[in-house]
Amino acid sequence: MRGIVRVLVLIAAAAVVTVGCAAQTEVVKLYEDPAHASKTYKRLLVVNISSNHSQQRQFENEIVLRLRKERVDAVPSYTHLDASKGLLQDDINRVGEDVGADGILITHIASVDTSIDRVEGREDIESTCRGGDPVDFFLYDHKVIREPDSVKVALTVIVITSLYDSASRDRIWTIQSTCFEKTSISDTLLEEAIAIVKQLSIDELI
């Protein structure tokens, strides 16, 4: 497996082509090995590189679930590795061999952009009639009711995903997926997982 750091360098330098999208998620292919023979992967080790072990577990589970729906045998790495403590490629390769994976899918969140929109609360007037002629405005007590302000949070998250061949340890494929305007990281990881697995299927890698 070639260095993960090289993938990050490639992202900045490579010319990219938009190849597909899911709802509110844009997918851009960054790399595909032209020399690699056509191959579909049947058993994948899924690795999310994250300093947050809980997030590693959640994202890997989302991807694994969707891979299994595509009839791909998938294994989350968090059952063997804790990415929050740092990962070495040798460790990932070893676990891949231990679980009999023919491919290793590595993801990491490249950036999270948070936008916060403050929405002022609406004002309403509550009127109570004191008696007399109900059409007489001046016989009413009026009270202004103001709803509290609300805050709308929107997340834009970019994820880089690469597929490595276990036998050759070569990088086969890399995409960048960008999820827009999600209100929580959980919703974002779900949409990212859907987009990643969909693109693997489109490119006939699974």
Side-chain angles (χ1 to χ4, degrees), residues 71-87:
R71 304 186 182 216
V72 178
D73 194 6
V75 180
S77 76
Y78 72 83
T79 56
H80 303 270
L81 300 167
D82 184 349
S84 66
K85 297 178 180 178
L87 291 179

Side-chain angles (χ1 to χ4, degrees), residues 3-12 108 160 162 164 171 174:
I4 295 169
V5 175
R6 291 186 58 201
V7 178
L8 301 178
V9 174
L10 178 67
I11 292 163
H108 74 276
I160 305 300
S162 294
Y164 294 84
R171 180 163 56 91
T174 300

